[in-house]
Amino acid sequence: MSAEAGDTGKAGVIVAQEDAPPMNKLSHAVLDDLLYNVVHDLLLKVHRDEKIARANTAAIKVEKLAKSTTDGTSTDPKPDVEIETDAAIYKDGKVMLKGNPLKSTKEILCPKCHLPRLLYPTDGKGAKKPDPGVIYCKKHPYIEKVGYDIYGQTWVAPGPGRGKKKKDQKLDPNDPSSPAQGEGSAKDRPSNVLSFPSATCPKCKRCILVTRLNNHMGGCIGNSGRNASRAAAQKISNGSNGGSQNNDNTPPGSQKGTPRPGSRGASPRKRDGDEFDEDAEDSDQPNPKKKKIKPNSLTKKVILKAKSSAAAANFKKDKAKASSMLNVEQTPDDDDAKDSTVQVMPKKPTPTLKGASPTKKIKLGAAKPRLPSPAGKKAKKDRDLESESSGTMSSPPPR
Amino acid sequence: MSARPATPASPKNYKVRATQPGQPMYGCEHLQRLFNQDQATTNTSIQHYRAILRSIFDTNPLVPQTSKAADGAVVTSLTPTYLCLQCPSTLTEDDRTKHGSKKSHRFYVDSRSGALYCQMCDDIVWDPTFEELRLKKIGTGTFSNRKRKHEELFETSDPVRNNPTYITSNTTIASCKSSGLRGIYNAGATCYQNVVLQSFLHNPILRNYYLSDGHSSSTCNVPYCLSCAMDDMFQDFYALETTNGYTAANILSGFWFSDRRAFDNLVATKEQDAHEFFQFLAEELHERNGDGKKPEIGSEHSCNCIIHQTFYGKLQSTTTCQNCSGVTHQVQSFLDLNLPLENLSHKKGKKTLSRGQLTLQECLEEEYVKSDKCEYRCHNCSSMQQARRQTTIKRLPNVLSIQLKRFEYKQGRNERAAKIDTPVQFPLELNMLPYTNRGRAISSNGHDGGKENYELARSCTYDLLSVVVHVGEIDTGHYVSYCRDGDQWFAFNDHRVELAQKSDVLNSKAYLLFYVVRSLS
């Protein structure tokens, strides 16, 4: 605090009243000096960044110019030429500044890609329209806009209905129609509106929407979570009163994603129940997409099972599939087969697997009549299948 | 100025910093003239600049802030003064011009920042040579550091490595667009993971480690290795142009596959504690990169792994028997400092009536300066004795992580955990010296000042790196975090990244704080 100033500091902003007591004046002066220092430090920082960036820009420009004049021998990183621009001199491989780069240089070039930097955000606070004729460095100023992130992106609201639909679309990565549809909906939105992505579970290799990933992995890898308790509850109910799955109001089709090793082979009744519920669910499923996917994964599993274990309940399914591959003859039982075959066709690996040993499957299928499956239930199932099969077969696209 | 040492007759010739592509050689034309006069001028200029920097950063600020006017009046000012580069005068801004025209000295150093002012440009000049010295002084306190030795070593042993074409052909240059600023999608109640991952991603030590192939996922054979997942994540953040959120599927699967149980009650849908996840991740990464020993809580465990180099420090607790005055020391490693708020917030609440504000320094003082009473079995007395126990920090880590324990158990009818919402003020710049045993020794000796202490204080200065904030109740809520990239702060809310003001950061009710030691940056 200079003594002659008396009632104020260097900034001269915080001024005590004329008649203020000396301590009062002193404290005003100290505060004023501190304010000066704050502004000084801020200014120094901005000044440093800006001036160094401009000085480097001047250097980059003159170096570029030097290189372009000796284009024939451009392998030399330090061409022996003398070049002068408004801002800098290039001589003996060195760059010397001319004048103050803050005055002589107006733009800032990126030191990495040597393209001009965009100096204003393209949207939000302080935005300016960039010159469309200029290719800018890809590093843009960050955007400050309510509801948008620093890149000007925003996200589709993951509403409950939409979220579910998304999941269903992306359940099967091999299904050619689902990514196509994803693109279609993306086209409807502006490019800065993003949707939630999906990721593959490393254990079961299924594609899961990111918002469900933790839940899925908890069940798939960690063997915990909602599905575990549900599966346990179902096991209990299966054990106590077999064949009561018709009344089960939780669609087990939604749990099919989690492979439960051992459980299938051990309880053929449950297998049947699953199939039944699955089909029943499909019949009132308005979206054929879903239908395509579900039997797909189901049949795959079943085949694997049939190869490894001789679980009786699987024979019927396999036989049905195999016969539909070989002949077009339709038996009531083959409705089921048609159903699954039509859906399975798009997927490549499965048909080859099927075609590998049709005879074996037929043989296995022959054992079918001795199945211990509950007759009444089966009848009901066939009825259901008949009611829906014609539509499905004749027109696989929308119904 | 007498404080400045006379120029020693050193045979060493100072060199102007070698020219770099895309950078001018000198700060301005006038400095160019100064450096091109002769070697002696260059030597004295650089020596003087170093001496001035030393007097600014290693002594009492009174010295550089005191100037002598032309009429002999000595004035100490709060605002910057200017130290002449060519003679030992300190001047005010007004006297600077007079001094210049009288002695034709043209260069002055700002007494608060060490920046160089050129009178002919009438502007601050950022000369590469001087600026390198200044930044080194601010950072490490020395002008030549180990790093330079390391470089010299490389130069002699491996000339290939020094060839710029070798470097460019063997380095993948990331696009200018990739900045490491991306959100992470919430995979269903995983915001507690996202905030910790973000703080790891913006940790310069971990970033350099992973980006320099410290743990390469292509050569690691451990299935579902979390360190590989971290490596992939760092690559994705800093090498790709993607600005969309990141799906941390590998981290998540590594987390679920891990043998280590991160939480007692691990249910996918349940919200978890970010601090516990931090501990889990740190221990898991230590196991993947370190000596393979499991870190034991409460013991002294040294390891050269990246996690230990980054986060681990050492605490020393000293127990003094009140009966025989026997002293026992115990040293243990720490991953983070856990500061309880419970007692302090109650104390404060009583004192000021209103729900008072706490400062981080008060919390640290409570834990690492004050001593508490305890009972322990004294070896000398061979009986249970009253004792004073005091804990100080023996070795500070490179990245200091602090947990503010924002929970307490309410006594009463229904005993349950409650959240403490008391705001705790934390600084952008934290001096940890008072909480170390060296800092304690200094304060108990009573003498203050001296070059060593300034250097010590500098080595204990930390800058805030990231803040994890929990909003909501004790059992449910949401985690958000703030991380700094350069001087700019960003708010991370799962996949959303937004700009944040310093005031947003400092006004947040922090749960976890990460500070990085200044001498590193």
Side-chain angles (χ1 to χ4, degrees):
Chain A
M1 311 134 271
S2 37
E4 64 274 10
D7 45 2
T8 184
K10 203 166 180 180
V13 177
I14 299 162
V15 188
Q17 284 177 342
E18 293 255 335
D19 52 349
M23 272 315 280
N24 200 334
K25 285 192 176 177
L26 182 66
S27 54
H28 275 75
V30 168
L31 191 61
D32 193 75
D33 270 351
L34 291 179
L35 184 73
Y36 178 89
N37 281 348
V38 168
V39 175
H40 182 87
D41 290 350
L42 270 176
L43 195 63
L44 206 65
K45 198 177 249 172
V46 175
H47 181 272
R48 179 178 185 273
D49 292 349
E50 194 68 19
K51 192 162 179 182
I52 290 179
R54 303 248 195 132
N56 290 348
T57 300
I60 291 165
K61 276 185 172 172
V62 79
E63 275 173 5
K64 250 191 190 165
L65 209 64
K67 242 177 218 163
S68 65
T69 48
T70 58
D71 221 347
T73 55
S74 61
T75 44
D76 186 13
K78 286 175 184 174
D80 187 23
V81 282
E82 224 180 295
I83 297 280
E84 197 173 332
T85 62
D86 292 342
I89 301 164
Y90 186 91
K91 194 181 171 186
D92 306 329
K94 294 175 188 168
V95 177
M96 269 81 71
L97 286 175
K98 243 173 80 184
N100 193 333
L102 286 176
K103 285 174 189 152
S104 59
T105 310
K106 287 288 169 244
E107 59 179 352
I108 291 175
L109 295 184
C110 170
K112 219 151 81 180
C113 65
H114 294 186
L115 291 171
R117 279 263 166 87
L118 193 59
L119 299 178
Y120 303 94
T122 49
D123 199 2
K125 204 169 162 186
K128 280 194 185 178
K129 276 257 178 306
D131 186 342
V134 179
I135 303 165
Y136 289 101
C137 166
K138 282 178 180 168
K139 188 179 164 69
H140 289 188
Y142 298 118
I143 289 166
E144 204 176 348
K145 189 177 176 185
V146 177
Y148 292 83
D149 78 344
I150 50 168
Y151 303 107
Q153 300 167 152
T154 190
W155 277 264
V156 200
R162 299 186 72 167
K164 183 149 195 217
K165 206 172 148 202
K166 283 264 160 53
K167 175 203 159 203
D168 294 337
Q169 276 174 12
K170 294 188 180 167
L171 256 175
D172 192 351
N174 299 323
D175 193 332
S177 58
S178 68
Q181 207 182 48
E183 273 164 34
S185 59
K187 264 174 207 155
D188 299 340
R189 306 191 298 259
S191 63
N192 65 337
V193 180
L194 306 172
S195 64
F196 286 68
S198 302
T200 314
C201 169
K203 190 168 180 185
C204 63
K205 310 284 177 218
R206 283 154 51 92
C207 213
I208 312 289
L209 185 73
V210 65
T211 51
R212 289 154 194 268
L213 206 57
N214 189 33
N215 214 335
H216 169 81
M217 285 186 186
C220 187
I221 304 166
N223 256 330
S224 78
R226 195 175 53 180
N227 285 338
S229 63
R230 219 186 249 183
Q234 203 185 33
K235 235 181 202 170
I236 292 163
S237 76
N238 280 343
S240 60
N241 53 340
S244 74
Q245 287 91 340
N246 298 1
N247 313 329
D248 197 345
N249 40 15
T250 329
S254 67
Q255 305 164 21
K256 212 155 285 153
T258 320
R260 283 157 303 211
S263 71
R264 296 264 154 87
S267 65
R269 278 210 202 106
K270 183 163 173 276
R271 173 82 248 130
D272 269 357
D274 259 358
E275 269 170 28
F276 171 71
D277 275 3
E278 157 77 14
D279 294 333
E281 190 187 68
D282 277 358
S283 61
D284 47 38
Q285 173 57 249
N287 187 1
K289 275 283 124 51
K290 180 163 184 171
K291 206 177 161 190
K292 265 190 180 176
I293 294 149
K294 286 254 152 98
N296 201 349
S297 57
L298 182 72
T299 44
K300 192 178 165 193
K301 253 175 247 147
V302 166
I303 288 161
L304 291 171
K305 252 303 91 70
K307 278 174 108 184
S308 59
S309 75
N314 293 335
F315 295 163
K316 176 205 68 176
K317 187 90 180 173
D318 276 335
K319 176 239 148 192
K321 210 183 310 130
S323 58
S324 72
M325 284 291 287
L326 296 169
N327 54 32
V328 205
E329 185 192 18
Q330 288 196 19
T331 62
D333 231 336
D334 270 343
D335 281 342
D336 183 12
K338 271 294 161 198
D339 194 352
S340 52
T341 321
V342 167
Q343 311 312 336
V344 167
M345 283 311 265
K347 198 175 171 178
K348 270 176 198 160
T350 333
T352 49
L353 192 64
K354 257 188 291 177
S357 61
T359 42
K360 185 189 165 200
K361 273 167 194 159
I362 285 173
K363 235 185 240 167
L364 288 168
K368 196 213 117 196
R370 273 169 272 146
L371 263 181
S373 70
K377 206 183 112 199
K378 197 169 173 306
K380 185 169 185 282
K381 176 183 171 170
D382 288 341
R383 245 182 287 128
D384 274 346
L385 284 168
E386 267 167 347
S387 66
E388 67 156 337
S389 60
S390 57
T392 324
M393 276 162 49
S394 56
S395 55
R399 282 198 282 159
Chain B
M1 213 163 70
S2 56
R4 220 175 287 165
T7 311
S10 160
K12 188 183 174 185
N13 277 341
Y14 290 102
K15 269 188 238 156
V16 176
R17 199 165 175 266
T19 183
Q20 308 275 324
Q23 220 180 62
M25 183 97 177
Y26 309 102
C28 72
E29 294 158 285
H30 317 103
L31 270 178
Q32 180 190 343
R33 233 173 285 152
L34 179 82
F35 281 131
N36 285 341
Q37 267 175 19
D38 50 48
Q39 186 61 47
T41 320
T42 308
N43 281 353
T44 48
S45 302
I46 293 181
Q47 268 169 9
H48 273 169
Y49 190 67
R50 289 164 67 131
I52 289 170
L53 288 179
R54 255 181 246 128
S55 85
I56 291 172
F57 294 110
D58 291 343
T59 60
N60 194 311
L62 267 177
V63 179
Q65 290 299 123
T66 307
S67 58
K68 198 172 172 186
D71 55 2
V74 177
V75 178
T76 304
S77 156
L78 285 172
T79 51
T81 59
Y82 292 86
L83 289 80
C84 179
L85 187 72
Q86 288 141 300
C87 76
S89 323
T90 306
L91 307 142
T92 61
E93 197 173 345
D94 303 329
D95 289 342
R96 194 178 61 193
T97 329
K98 281 182 223 155
H99 182 83
S101 49
K102 202 167 92 187
K103 302 225 172 149
S104 44
H105 291 168
R106 303 298 180 196
F107 302 102
Y108 303 90
V109 182
D110 179 301
S111 66
R112 291 180 70 255
S113 61
L116 190 79
Y117 168 83
C118 168
Q119 197 168 51
M120 283 175 287
C121 294
D122 191 20
D123 197 6
I124 303 274
V125 170
W126 308 98
D127 182 75
T129 312
F130 285 145
E131 193 57 8
E132 191 183 21
L133 290 171
R134 191 178 78 96
L135 291 180
K136 273 187 187 168
K137 190 74 198 168
I138 293 173
T140 58
T142 50
F143 293 116
S144 60
N145 50 16
R146 266 173 288 142
K147 204 177 168 189
R148 221 175 100 191
K149 258 188 202 154
H150 188 70
E151 275 169 18
E152 277 163 14
L153 204 74
F154 261 128
E155 222 166 336
T156 49
S157 65
D158 195 355
V160 186
R161 268 180 191 263
N162 237 30
N163 187 348
T165 50
Y166 172 84
I167 295 171
T168 45
S169 62
N170 285 285
T171 325
T172 4
I173 295 167
S175 153
C176 302
K177 201 174 178 183
S178 50
S179 55
L181 295 161
R182 283 175 72 183
I184 305 175
Y185 280 108
N186 192 330
T190 57
C191 55
Y192 68 95
Q193 298 187 0
N194 291 354
V195 289
V196 174
L197 292 177
Q198 287 290 1
S199 85
F200 274 45
L201 281 164
H202 293 93
N203 184 324
I205 306 174
L206 293 179
R207 184 189 62 208
N208 292 352
Y209 174 78
Y210 278 106
L211 291 185
S212 59
D213 272 350
H215 181 105
S216 177
S217 55
S218 52
T219 55
C220 176
N221 293 323
V222 180
Y224 308 115
C225 170
L226 259 178
S227 196
C228 294
M230 287 297 283
D231 186 47
D232 292 343
M233 184 170 67
F234 270 101
Q235 299 296 341
D236 265 25
F237 270 68
Y238 288 97
L240 301 185
E241 283 191 8
T242 324
T243 53
N244 194 348
Y246 180 72
T247 310
N250 288 348
I251 301 273
L252 198 62
S253 61
F255 165 75
W256 279 105
F257 272 117
S258 171
D259 300 331
R260 191 189 309 278
R261 275 282 157 256
F263 306 101
D264 296 336
N265 186 9
L266 193 56
V267 180
T269 43
K270 214 182 151 218
E271 293 169 21
Q272 301 286 359
D273 178 32
H275 177 249
E276 283 175 66
F277 182 73
F278 166 63
Q279 289 177 321
F280 160 82
L281 196 56
E283 284 171 19
E284 188 74 26
L285 293 180
H286 154 74
E287 212 161 284
R288 293 277 162 266
N289 297 299
D291 54 9
K293 283 186 219 149
K294 294 211 168 173
E296 283 172 48
I297 293 159
S299 69
E300 188 179 359
H301 181 210
S302 310
C303 168
N304 280 330
C305 78
I306 184 65
I307 293 296
H308 273 75
Q309 281 180 28
T310 311
F311 292 111
Y312 277 83
K314 279 174 189 171
L315 283 175
Q316 175 175 299
S317 45
T318 309
T319 319
T320 315
C321 176
Q322 298 295 81
N323 189 35
C324 66
S325 306
V327 178
T328 46
H329 292 291
Q330 201 206 348
V331 178
Q332 60 180 60
S333 303
F334 68 89
L335 171 65
D336 46 10
L337 301 178
N338 316 108
L339 304 177
L341 302 181
E342 201 174 344
N343 295 332
L344 267 180
S345 70
H346 282 310
K347 244 187 248 172
K348 271 262 166 152
K350 270 174 207 155
K351 221 184 275 175
T352 55
L353 283 171
S354 63
R355 205 66 169 147
Q357 273 216 339
L358 286 171
T359 66
L360 181 66
Q361 286 91 338
E362 281 173 329
C363 301
L364 285 166
E365 195 167 306
E366 189 73 19
E367 284 293 297
Y368 303 109
V369 175
K370 289 180 183 162
S371 53
D372 58 349
K373 275 184 196 161
C374 68
E375 289 216 332
Y376 97 121
R377 198 170 170 81
C378 179
H379 283 293
N380 287 354
C381 315
S382 43
S383 61
M384 290 301 280
Q385 290 294 337
Q386 288 286 322
R388 289 217 145 261
R389 187 180 50 197
Q390 200 209 14
T391 310
T392 52
I393 297 166
K394 194 175 181 218
R395 208 191 70 194
L396 283 162
N398 284 321
V399 174
L400 180 72
S401 41
I402 298 174
Q403 179 204 16
L404 300 170
K405 292 202 219 163
R406 291 195 168 276
F407 34 80
E408 61 184 335
Y409 282 95
K410 280 255 165 75
Q411 303 287 319
R413 278 176 304 158
N414 42 354
E415 260 183 50
R416 57 184 193 89
K419 195 177 163 188
I420 304 171
D421 269 324
T422 316
V424 177
Q425 284 188 351
F426 50 92
L428 288 170
E429 179 188 322
L430 178 66
N431 178 18
M432 287 298 289
L433 184 63
Y435 320 109
T436 60
N437 43 10
R438 290 181 79 180
R440 235 189 119 61
I442 293 165
S443 65
S444 61
N445 283 349
H447 70 81
D448 186 57
K451 185 174 179 261
E452 260 176 49
N453 284 359
Y454 281 97
E455 278 183 6
L456 200 58
R458 186 176 19 240
S459 69
C460 298
T461 303
Y462 284 79
D463 289 309
L464 190 62
L465 190 68
S466 56
V467 182
V468 170
V469 183
H470 182 257
V471 279
E473 298 302 308
I474 183 101
D475 47 355
T476 180
H478 185 51
Y479 280 108
V480 290
S481 65
Y482 295 99
C483 294
R484 180 169 56 87
D485 182 74
D487 285 323
Q488 178 64 55
W489 282 90
F490 295 91
F492 294 87
N493 181 358
D494 288 337
H495 52 273
R496 266 178 194 278
V497 188
E498 279 165 40
L499 288 170
Q501 304 294 319
K502 273 182 190 149
S503 58
D504 300 336
V505 179
L506 295 178
N507 281 326
S508 62
K509 283 180 187 165
Y511 175 50
L512 301 178
L513 294 165
F514 294 89
Y515 281 93
V516 63
V517 71
R518 178 168 295 175
S519 55
L520 262 177
S521 51

